[in-house]
Amino acid sequence: MSAAAPYLLGAVAGYLADARFGDPRRGHPVAVFGSAAARLEKALWRDRRDTGAVHTAVCVGTVAAGAALADHALRRSTAGRAALVAAATWTVLGGTSLTREARIVARSLRAGDLDAARERLPHLCGRDPRGLDEGQLARAVVESVAENTADAVVNALTWGAVAGAPGLLAFRAVNTLDAMVGHRSARYRRFGWASARLDDVAGWPGARLTALLTVAAAPEPRRAWRVWRRDGSSHPSPNAGQAESAFAGALGVRLGGTLRYGDGPRPETGVPPAEGWGRTEHRPILGGELRPVTVDDIERACLLSRRVGTLALAVTVGTRVLAGGLRRHTDPSYGHKELP
């Protein structure tokens, strides 16, 4: 327990900080990372996989190495390591901001203001909101809440349990980089390949844990389990379909289908507008026998996301504590070593 105390205290404190305050409005470390990654992209960009791999390695490696050095420097201080984990956890978690944005869209939809809802949707996902009706907007929000519960909460906590503050921050760097360059536009199909593949690998365990915890938190666990196991692997993403299918079954709604993406031009990289809007995907239906999404399902998805996040905190922290206890009992010299 003593070895796991810094992580336990820090992870719980960071989770509570996110629940209370959400993301800071200005100067968010993730935004700072994104700006730095965009500047490096501008300097390195070539329409090649190897150049994109270098970009990924430098961005993620710098974050991971910096966090590891900070963790090593604080190795003798329980309070210092706990504070580092708390700061890292608060930095990487996005559950409160996720549900806040979802509820803003829901309020606009309830007020009948489709234009305001369409204007706000890009804060949640990269889809083209133009022309979406109320049901399509609600579906986009629920799908985004499901996918980002995995990415912005469960996966981060999973990697934190594995590698502490360096794991938390490195995963967030991977996930942010994938959102920036990991899509299949003409500019990023090759350059963003390494980021997209690394995000797939890093997101694999947390996506499955998200689905399991969603089943556990569902009002009808059997239905959530059935839809997840049947439809989760039909999604083109190896990870997103796990959370979305489990949420579909848990909420009793039908997700998936045709959607249009709008990445939008990024001024700092000089991407021309022609590369932004208009990419269409036809995704498999998840929970095809269930009813369509309504506006009221957005709030239900937000509450489910919060329950899943709380369960993820308990499971990952508990696993870290148990692993530390096992190590103490199986390694006689453990107590004489300098803790990592």
Side-chain angles (χ1 to χ4, degrees):
M1 178 63 184
S2 60
Y7 184 78
L8 187 157
L9 296 172
V12 171
Y15 187 89
L16 292 175
D18 176 69
R20 174 64 180 85
F21 303 109
D23 292 330
R25 300 293 186 181
R26 296 182 181 179
H28 195 295
V30 174
V32 174
F33 168 80
S35 297
R39 288 194 295 271
L40 182 63
E41 176 196 331
K42 194 172 183 180
L44 289 180
W45 188 89
R46 301 289 186 279
D47 190 19
R48 295 166 43 174
R49 284 186 176 183
D50 57 351
T51 309
V54 170
H55 178 254
T56 300
V58 171
C59 290
V60 177
T62 299
V63 171
L69 286 172
D71 188 58
H72 183 72
L74 295 168
R75 65 192 181 280
R76 297 183 185 278
S77 171
T78 297
R81 293 186 74 196
L84 177 64
V85 171
T89 303
W90 187 15
T91 295
V92 305
L93 293 186
T96 297
S97 295
L98 169 66
T99 55
R100 179 188 296 152
E101 291 295 335
R103 285 165 171 149
I104 290 173
V105 176
R107 283 198 295 271
S108 296
L109 290 175
R110 288 194 191 94
D113 193 343
L114 291 182
D115 288 339
R118 290 171 184 145
E119 183 179 351
R120 198 73 188 188
L121 185 66
H123 289 253
L124 276 170
C125 58
R127 300 185 195 181
D128 182 353
R130 298 173 298 178
L132 296 184
D133 61 23
E134 179 182 293
Q136 291 168 326
L137 286 164
R139 191 195 92 196
V141 172
V142 170
E143 289 173 352
S144 181
V145 169
E147 182 177 358
N148 284 292
T149 297
D151 284 342
V153 183
V154 182
N155 253 312
L157 291 171
T158 299
W159 283 104
V162 171
L168 286 161
L169 294 169
F171 174 76
R172 183 65 169 186
V174 169
N175 192 242
T176 301
L177 208 57
D178 174 65
M180 294 176 66
V181 304
H183 29 90
R184 299 175 183 174
S185 67
R187 179 179 177 88
Y188 295 121
R189 187 170 290 111
R190 282 179 283 274
F191 184 83
W193 177 86
S195 291
R197 298 291 77 76
L198 182 59
D199 185 68
D200 286 344
V201 172
W204 196 96
R208 276 92 191 146
L209 179 58
T210 301
L212 283 170
L213 297 178
T214 300
V215 171
E220 296 187 31
R222 289 185 180 180
R223 184 180 63 198
W225 173 268
R226 183 183 73 249
V227 175
W228 168 43
R229 299 307 297 157
R230 185 191 65 202
D231 298 339
S233 297
S234 64
H235 196 283
S237 164
N239 296 325
Q242 305 297 315
E244 289 185 24
S245 60
F247 263 66
L251 299 172
V253 299
R254 183 167 64 244
L255 301 178
T258 300
L259 55 87
R260 287 172 60 85
Y261 273 104
D263 299 318
R266 299 214 333 266
E268 71 274 14
T269 59
V271 181
E275 291 191 29
W277 300 97
R279 179 166 59 90
T280 300
E281 287 188 11
H282 302 284
R283 293 183 175 177
I285 299 296
L286 309 176
E289 73 278 17
L290 305 175
R291 62 175 175 80
V293 180
T294 67
V295 176
D296 289 341
D297 293 315
I298 295 177
E299 179 61 24
R300 296 176 63 228
C302 290
L303 294 174
L304 178 61
S305 175
R306 178 59 71 190
R307 289 195 295 270
V308 170
T310 303
L311 286 173
L313 177 68
V315 168
T316 53
V317 167
T319 300
R320 175 97 174 188
V321 170
L322 288 173
L326 236 91
R327 188 178 172 191
R328 287 168 62 88
H329 282 90
T330 57
D331 185 352
S333 62
Y334 179 73
H336 304 288
K337 293 180 181 178
E338 193 171 77
L339 297 179

